[in-house]
Amino acid sequence: MSTPLPEAGPGVLAVGGFSQANRQRRRWDAVLTCEDPHQRQCLRLDDRPQLVLAFEDCDDESLGYAVATPDQLQDALSFLRENREGSLLVHCMHGVGRSAALALMDLADRMGPGHEDEAVNTLLALRPEATPNLVAVSLADGLLGRSGDLIAALQRSE
């Protein structure tokens, strides 16, 4: 069973799965959707800001899968920053890999350098079942200029 989503409110960040997002999509001011490039079930909103990123939840970029790209992470970071004042839902199919990685990036960005462990702990409090996608977290680490600190904090939590 998935962790329930928090109440939507100003500045609230939530991490969820597809079914939660589909049922509760109208509660959130903005939605960041991560989906598999070949996903058949799609959540599209036309009445609020939404960013849709398509990449596979694979932790090894050498296997030939369509993993997250630097451009996608930059787009996600811009979207998260632009929509931070309202309630924000980040979701993928199960709410544990891709969405958790992007939520971790947002938390680390909000908290600033030196607070990577706090960002990981906050993510795990929001979504205890989270196992952030390592390719996306590595890209986020570089994008935020954390020099490996975000990856190291995630590894310490395991």
Side-chain angles (χ1 to χ4, degrees):
M1 175 143 178
S2 295
T3 302
L5 299 179
E7 288 299 315
V12 171
L13 173 67
V15 183
F18 176 82
S19 61
Q20 289 175 305
N22 196 38
R23 283 191 316 270
Q24 300 180 28
R25 64 181 175 251
R26 302 288 179 225
R27 291 177 41 196
W28 304 95
D29 295 324
V31 177
L32 196 163
T33 299
C34 301
E35 61 188 23
D36 187 271
H38 311 291
Q39 188 168 323
R40 291 188 181 158
Q41 288 183 305
C42 299
L43 176 64
R44 297 294 184 269
L45 306 171
D46 57 5
D47 62 343
R48 67 202 63 228
Q50 180 185 28
L51 175 65
V52 178
L53 300 176
F55 62 92
E56 295 184 69
D57 191 12
C58 179
D59 287 332
D60 186 345
E61 57 191 315
S62 70
L63 299 176
Y65 292 102
V67 297
T69 67
D71 287 344
Q72 287 174 319
L73 268 285
Q74 180 60 64
D75 289 348
L77 183 59
S78 295
F79 181 84
L80 292 163
R81 286 175 173 168
E82 290 166 12
N83 293 285
R84 193 168 281 164
E85 298 301 316
S87 58
L88 181 59
L89 172 62
V90 181
H91 81 93
C92 58
M93 182 53 80
H94 300 290
V96 296
R98 293 168 287 193
S99 59
L102 296 181
L104 179 59
M105 177 175 68
D106 185 54
L107 291 165
D109 186 45
R110 289 180 190 213
M111 293 175 184
H115 297 278
E116 292 78 17
D117 288 303
E118 183 182 349
V120 170
N121 291 336
T122 301
L123 172 67
L124 294 174
L126 284 171
R127 194 78 173 170
E129 63 269 39
T131 56
N133 178 279
L134 297 178
V135 171
V137 173
S138 179
L139 290 171
D141 186 286
L143 188 60
L144 295 173
R146 300 304 168 88
S147 303
D149 291 345
L150 189 57
I151 287 285
L154 183 59
Q155 290 171 339
R156 282 191 296 275
S157 76
E158 297 174 349

